Amino acid sequence: MQALLFLTFLISSASAATVRAYLQPDHARTGQEVSYVITVQNGIIQKEPELRLPVQVGLTTALSTRQKIDIQGAQQIISSQFVWGVASNEPGEFVIPPQEVLVNGEILKTNEVRLIVSESPTAAPTAAEDPTIPLFQIEVGKTEVYQGEVVPISASLFVPRGSVMLRRVGLIEVNKSDFAIARFPQQADQNPQRINDIDYIVITYRSTLSALHAGDLKVGPATCELLYEVFDEATQRQMSRGLPFGMIMGGAEPRKQVVKSQEVKIKVLPLPTEGKPANFSGAVGDFSISATATPNELSVGDPLAVDITIDGSGNFDALNAPGLMPPEGWKAYPPRRYNVDGPIDPNLTPAMQRRIGYSMVFVPEKVHPELPPFELSYFSPTQKKYVAARTPPIALRIKPGVMAAAAAGVESSGSGEAPKPPPVQQPKPQISDILMNVPAKARWLSTTAVSAPLTTSARFWAIQSIPAALVILVTLFTWFRRHRAEATSGLRGELQQMWHGLEESNLADRDFLQRAAHFIHRSQPGEVKDEELRQIIRRYETQSFTGAPTSGQALGAGERSRILSTLAPLLKRTALLIATLATLSLNAGAADASPDEVYQQAREALEKGKFTQAQYLGESLTKQQPPALSSAVFTLIANARYRQEDMGRAALWYQRAQLLDPLNPEVRQNLRHLDEKLRFFRFGEDSPLAEWSLLLNKNTWVIAASAGVWIILLALMRWILAVSQKGGSGGASALIFSIIGLLVFIPSATFASIRPAPGDRVKDVMVVTAREVSAYTAATVTSGNVIALPPGSQVRLLEKRGAWSYVEVPSGDDHVRGWVESATYTPLWPWDMQLLP
């Protein structure tokens, strides 16, 4: 059966040629050039398309072509892209009609696309006091949106032309407490503009945002760190005369500046409750759906491969796989989601128009004349109502299966007994939301002392057989080791190591002065006011950064001793300051609210629908020193993250909660629901026994095994006493208790020995929290694709190289490996691994 399913998938992968058109970006200003792209998959264009455009939109560049090959599993997708530059000098909304394309001898039509053009600004954003500082502003495509609706957002840098040279643009940061904002890509549009008699180069970065909740909200301000150079007046005059850059004689002042934009007010409307479908998953946008099925002739029990394509614009992350209407009489297998146009390049501007696909397998359980329609429910912001889009039914020719045909033959012959009806199956649960039930009180992990297994605890073995002296020795050893670790950690330990470096023999004068200056700056943050310390720093700067000869200026032993005696009080003063700050922090922590009080505040915020506040309060408990960790807190944070549609972090916190409380039914059900939505990858245990051993902690298994040993010993003692007494009858009961003791001891000892250590379960395990993440064959997004990683997927970190990480993905029986961006994942357990039960 599995081989037949796999063969059906391979047959369905050889799909016909498809064409699709989109604009990048689809929002622009008057006069701004955008790209009109036609993508052709699994086909060859035999004639250059004749582009048809509305009269308000003109062609700005000639046709350019490029080809891309994507590997998705065993499927090779070849796509060709045809790109034109278009622009409009009039504001408004224009429809580019479908284009006819000759592909593989057949004329195919693209979809129509809409270009929204807004009027270019007549004035630059408010200028700062310094006219050479680049100006920064953000713009949102709509100021009245629905909750969950995806709208474009742009961030524009106004760089004065001729006086400023931009060297580096940092990440654009926008507050994301109220919005889900996709990362601004590296790709940007550049256009010259003259505003108020000033020439600017306007660099525009584009992304998308969606509101997490309703209300009158504000987007921004956005911030960005810039590195740029400001030319002096002489250089500007030479550049204005048109001299080549290599012949310009002048200077430039390097600067580093964080620019800040304005705020944009947005009114976010809640989704209406009237007419809300029962299967609505939160998708907001405008979508179309189509389906194909192969083969069209099959028998009952044979697999039917179905490909569903969803095209449109909106919140694709909230989409679920469409369901059959009605589903009776069909056995469905879990769907596989993929991007029809290949992996999304995070360095390019995100397109509002997208197309995703679902590969499904259905098995008919009886004869059907057709495959029922698939239904997709979403809220359309343009129509301002809920829409249920359906595919047309697909005609099929289904023959009775072998067992059904045999039963029919027996019945028609009139001999034998009537066939037994098939067994009635229990209805399967249809989970459509998470459970919001969290306990009234949280059971906190003890973080004051790391709990160790009883097999390594001196106290446990002292109760069994070892004298109390061993406990004293272990305690003293732990105290000395902790005292030594505290003395060598933090700023105090760093300064002590630096001091030992100053005392090294045969140290060159330059290295000695460099270490002395570094020691002063670490122990004296801010401006150094002491004159003796400033002389040491000046001596280091003179020796290292001037061209003056250094002969005759060597440091003598007396001068080195004088410098060391000047620096010695800094070491003692810093140690005293650290001890004082530690005491103050303990007192301040005692005055703060207790973890139970903060947990109750978070529960109240969650019940009132203040999900951002509940998340903040819950996560603040995990950041305390020591952290307040509990399965209840993790579940609360996960519920709040889910309500904010942050599925990746919701799965992360549910997985953390399951580590502490693996039998919690709410956590297990919510993880199952998330897995059905996301289909993420998780590491499993090597054997069922290892998985069962995690149901109880190791100490419990050890105690159970010890109880089994004591039952056996007591049974033996009873048998010995019974034998020593004439006529005593205790052999049968002793045998029964011995068997009970063995039944308790053997499985408990086995589970205690094979139970994975806490460190082995979470070491180097990361959870993907970002969306649209893929593993690549090399540390670049332009390399081949290995596998798409849904939010919530676990990966094991093998190597980290800058902004990329080499990871292992638990895909099926054989794990696969690839490169992912380090910013897309979060450690499964960032705290001390020994805290895990």
Side-chain angles (χ1 to χ4, degrees), residues 18 53 145 154 173 415 501 584 680:
T18 59
L53 298 173
V145 299
S154 61
E173 301 289 345
S415 62
L584 291 176
F680 48 72

Side-chain angles (χ1 to χ4, degrees), residues 513-541:
L513 289 172
Q514 181 183 12
R515 295 183 182 183
H518 190 199
F519 183 89
I520 293 172
H521 286 304
R522 289 295 292 133
S523 60
Q524 297 277 306
E527 183 181 359
V528 179
K529 298 182 179 180
D530 188 272
E531 185 60 30
E532 293 184 353
L533 299 179
R534 295 172 65 179
Q535 289 180 3
I536 297 175
I537 295 175
R538 282 198 293 268
R539 179 67 185 275
Y540 161 67
E541 293 174 348

Side-chain angles (χ1 to χ4, degrees), residues 19 44 63 65 80 85 273 331 399 557 572 618 636 779 825:
V19 296
I44 299 175
L63 171 66
T65 61
S80 301
T273 57
K331 182 179 181 180
K399 303 176 183 178
K572 299 179 180 179
L636 183 146
Y825 61 72

Side-chain angles (χ1 to χ4, degrees), residues 178-189:
D178 297 325
F179 299 92
I181 303 177
R183 185 179 64 178
F184 282 89
Q186 298 176 359
Q187 186 188 57
D189 301 328

